Every structure is written in C-alpha cells, then in structure tokens.
Amino acid sequence: MTILSTRTYVKGLAKGKALFLQKGCVHSQEAPQGSPEEEMERLGKAFDRVRNDIGEAAAKAGESLREILSAHLEMLEDPMLHDGIQDKILSGGQSAMQAVKEAGEELQAMFDAIDDEYLRARKDDVRDICGQILSALTEKDGNGYSPIPQGSVLVAEEILPSDAGKIDFSSLGAIVTRLGSITSHAAIIARSYGIPVLMGIPLERINDGDLLLVNALDGTLTVNPDENTEAEFDKLLAKEMARGAEASARAFKTAVTRDGKTIMVYANAGSIGDVRKAMEGGADGIGLFRSEFLFMQDESLPSEEKQFEAYKDAVLICNGKPVTIRTLDIGGDKALPCLGLPREENPFLGFRAIRISLARPEIFKPQVRAILRASAHGPVRILLPMITTLDEIRQARSIISQCMNELDRKNIAYDKAIPVGIMVETPAAVLMADEFSKEADFFSLGTNDLTQYILAADRGNNAISELYDHMNPAVLRAVSITAKAARESGIPVCVCGEMAADEQAVKPLLESGVDSLSVPAPVIAKTKIIISE
Ligand code: PEP
Ligand code: MG
C-alpha cells in the first residue's frame, strides 16, 4: 500500500482502477511521402480533420470547454503557424509532419519569450493544436483514446484541453494528474461533472489497473490499499453517498436558513444544455446566463433572431422560474475574433463587457431586443457586466428604453417591468454600491473578477493562486458593503462567482446579507443543504 498526498484538489471521493491516459499516436519525423505539393495536400486534409474534430467536440461541450476549443480553432487558423509550416514544406522540402513539429516548436518558443502572461499561455494552445495535426497526419482510425471502463480513475501527466474534448467524463470516477492546478481546464470541466481531481501527484508508484482510493477531501491517494484501509474508505464513501442522496432529495425544495430566511439557489449557465442540467438539478432559476458563449459558437455574430430563440428556449425550459441573462461579457480572457478587436496590454483592464456594448450599439441593441422579446415568454432579468460608473448604467438603461420603444412601435410583446441589474465585480462598483443601488433593480456579485481586482491577483495565473483567495477579508468586506447598500435600497443581491459554490463561503456570504446564490448545476443540492444546516 502506498499513500501519496497533495494540496491541490477538486473535492470528492472515489474508488476505482487506475487507467493511464492512452493516446496511441507516436509522432515520428518521417521523410516526405511525396512531392512538396503532395505533402501540402496531406497537410490540408489533416487540418480539415482537426477542424472537424474540434467542431464536433464543441457541439457537445459545456461552456468552459467550448471556450478552450474556440481558442484552438483560432490557433489552427493562425497565419503565423500556416506560413511557418508551408515554408518548411515548399521551400525546405520537409515532410508535413516534420514541418508541423518544427513550426510548432518555433511558435511556442516565440510565445514563451513574450512578456505577457496571457499571450504566453497561448503556447499551450500551439502545443495542443500541433499535437492534434500530427495525430491527424498519422491517419489513425478513431481518436486514439481507448474506451473508459465505468468508474475508472484516469491517471495522466496532464490533461490538455484537446484530451478533455475526447474523454467521456461521464464514465470517470476521478482524475489524478502530476501537473495542473484547480483553475486548469481539466479541473474546471471535472467540476462541472462533479468529478473529484487530485493534482500534483507523483505517478511513478502507480501502475495501470492498481486499485486507487481517491480522497479529494483531504488530498490523499492510496494505491493498492490493505483490507482495513479499504474498509474504512468504503465507510467514508457510503457516508458521502448518503449525503449525496439526501442532497438530491432536498434539491427541489426551497432552501431556508435556520433562522427562517429563504435563500434562492440559482444556477450558472452558458448554454441551453446547462439550463436543462440546472433544472434537472433543482435550481430555483438561472442566476447567470453567460450570453457571450452563444456569441463564441460561430465565426460571425449571432442574429437577433438566433439570440431570441436561444433566450426563449432557456425561458421555456425554466418554466416560470426566473432567467437572468447577462449581456455580452467579452474581453479579458474571453475572445471574440469576429469583432476584430486589437490585442491589448492589459485585457482585464481593457475594452471589455459593457464598455464594448455601449460603444457598439449595433451589437448591443439586437441583443437587448432579443432578451426583451424572450421576456414575453416568462420571467427574465437583464444583467449588465463590469459596471464601473453610474453613467454606464444610465446609458445602458437609455438604450434598453430605445429598444422597448422600437418593439412598442411594432406591437411586439415584452415585459415592460423587466428588472435591470448590474454585476458588482469591480472595486468601483463596491465603493459606489450605495449610489448604484438607487439605479439598479438588483445586484449580482461577480466574485471571480472582484477577487482579482481587489487583490490585484490575476484570476488565471497559477503562480499567484495562493493570493487569489475569495475568502480574503478584503473580499468579504466588499461583499458586506455591497449587501448593506442593497439592503438599504431594498434591492436583492445575489452572488454568482465561484465563491458561491465554495462550502466554506456559503455561511459568511449569508451572514453578510446576501439573498441568493448562483452556482454550477452539480453543487445546487449540496449548497441547499449547507444553507439549511
Ligand atoms: C465573476 O466575475 O464572478 C463572474 C461571475 O463572471 P465571469 O466569471 O464570467 O467573469
Ligand atoms: Mg466577471
């Protein structure tokens, strides 16, 4: 028996057989199989195959993975990568495989040398996409991944976003990796499936088929346990399962605190699939519909009609429960290539979210009209992202009024009393919460961004992840200030950042006076239990 431990984990318990991630693709630096033109043709087919694979994976993916896949597509079409490969084949006489490998390495080295964390991270996209092109060039059948027996514990050095798209997460019991952090892509996706993950585990002492006890409550991995240890773990597992069953039974009941306050537990969604999962999981409504993921699905902007259909579907699925639709929150780490925006030095402090919407009414107005039209089918709320000034709220409200007038002129139905709220996710919004609460119908605390702006700690940078802590007293104080302002103006305040899904944070949030929480679908039931405890 061997016990390994880590401090990096996504919570949960699982017992299963170790299954090392198999990718049956060995990339050799083969000699050209034909003329440079024929090598270019092979390359073109490989690109088509990768494009197709990414498209198929994106169609099935949840919001976080879709975002990653869209970055891969962007990288696949990158002219620097294309030109580099083409030059090596046509002028250098290299095989398509060797050209992809070398051009990829050169581009990775270039990104690595850039003094910009965001751009440096694109190195991983290059590595991943080149791996996919090389795999396609080997023309193997299938995707090179073995089927996963139900309940397996997937063991891997690292799970790259492209792996994640091809792995059937629903058959996994847990994931164990040497590399990665809790903000890594694999962890984000695993969390949305409710799968425990241990990261930072040395893999040398694990073999394929070993029995693994994954304790992602205390960060330990037991390899080939003795009888007593396995029996103890089984008891723990049974207790946790009973807790899960109890939670599911309670998921559809309204959560009430011990002192009798009703707390709505909404869900975060980025797609219609997420809305469905939320309703199946007992959500009291959608607290945050990240509309930008609808925009990121296509290479061009979605029409008003397409948006209307999507918002209406969400409203109908929710069947009378409220749907809070956040207007486009693009920028920061969420790119929308079709907008053709220039690269920025500090994208999180740049041209993003409401700033883009107000500057580009030709994008904002169709979205507002689509949301308004959906409100004729059930309760809808409009949520404005990244507000920093009163003027932004006023300008947005004025555009919303213009859209209402346009619909009135055409006799198109909508909810004339539709609530318009704001994300409180900047220090400015917290400090001005008393003023803003007089002009907003509700607040939604975006603690993901708020934490990074208050603590000056990039939410995507693992090097300072210890500092990026939503339980930092400064963040808790910001929550209290916001909740107090909301209470004094008589408007509701929700928390829709990941903090709301943190078991440790639920009570402090409620003590601050927050009225509702919005969390990923797999944690709705558990969140309702914590509220009631
Ligand atoms: C937040 O910032 O907390 C939030 C919910 O928005 P996003 O994570 O989409 O930036
Ligand atoms: Mg945000």
Side-chain angles (χ1 to χ4, degrees), residues 93-145:
Q94 291 187 356
S95 70
M97 285 189 77
Q98 192 162 354
V100 170
K101 194 165 177 293
E102 286 188 15
E105 281 167 2
E106 283 168 19
L107 200 54
Q108 282 182 63
M110 203 196 85
F111 276 121
D112 211 18
I114 294 176
D115 184 23
D116 177 312
E117 189 63 38
Y118 175 71
L119 287 180
R120 228 179 7 249
R122 302 235 60 195
K123 178 183 148 193
D124 294 339
D125 294 337
V126 180
R127 184 158 53 98
D128 202 328
I129 206 72
C130 288
Q132 292 179 65
I133 303 167
L134 288 169
S135 298
L137 277 167
T138 63
E139 290 180 345
K140 279 184 175 294
D141 288 336
N143 61 18
Y145 296 80

Side-chain angles (χ1 to χ4, degrees), residues 424 426-436 478 481-482:
V424 177
T426 63
V430 173
L431 295 172
M432 297 298 290
D434 53 345
E435 296 290 325
F436 290 4
I481 293 171
T482 308

Side-chain angles (χ1 to χ4, degrees), residues 148-152 167-173 189 193 195:
I148 296 173
Q150 193 65 35
S152 301
I167 292 167
D168 178 10
F169 276 79
S170 61
S171 34
L172 283 184
I189 297 161
Y193 279 85
I195 298 170

Side-chain angles (χ1 to χ4, degrees), residues 326 329 352 423 425 449 459:
R326 183 173 71 185
D329 184 15
R352 59 170 297 202
M423 291 286 292
E425 54 184 344
D449 276 318
R459 65 191 266 187

Side-chain angles (χ1 to χ4, degrees), residues 184-205:
S184 71
H185 304 313
I188 292 169
I189 297 161
R191 196 178 286 118
S192 75
Y193 279 85
I195 298 170
V197 186
L198 294 176
M199 288 161 158
I201 294 281
L203 306 183
E204 291 76 15
R205 318 241 334 239

Side-chain angles (χ1 to χ4, degrees), residues 343-364:
R343 286 208 187 275
E344 297 182 323
E345 280 283 310
N346 289 304
F348 274 109
L349 303 179
F351 190 50
R352 59 170 297 202
I354 194 71
R355 301 168 186 181
I356 297 181
S357 292
L358 295 178
R360 303 279 296 267
E362 77 282 9
I363 298 172
F364 191 43

Side-chain angles (χ1 to χ4, degrees), residues 183 268 288 290 326 329 348 352 383 386 422-427 429-430 443-460 467-483 493-502 505-506 508-510 512 514 516-520:
T183 49
N268 294 346
L288 170 66
R290 289 180 161 105
R326 183 173 71 185
D329 184 15
F348 274 109
R352 59 170 297 202
L383 179 57
M386 275 292 292
I422 64 163
M423 291 286 292
V424 177
E425 54 184 344
T426 63
V430 173
F443 280 164
S444 192
L445 271 153
T447 48
N448 303 339
D449 276 318
L450 189 57
T451 302
Q452 77 166 346
Y453 292 133
I454 286 192
L455 299 174
D458 182 346
R459 65 191 266 187
L467 198 57
Y468 179 86
D469 174 14
H470 54 232
M471 296 302 278
N472 183 295
V475 180
L476 292 173
R477 196 175 282 189
V479 171
S480 294
I481 293 171
T482 308
V493 57
C494 179
V495 178
C496 65
E498 291 296 307
M499 182 179 187
D502 174 359
V506 171
L509 288 175
L510 298 184
S512 297
V514 161
S516 60
L517 303 173
S518 191
V519 299

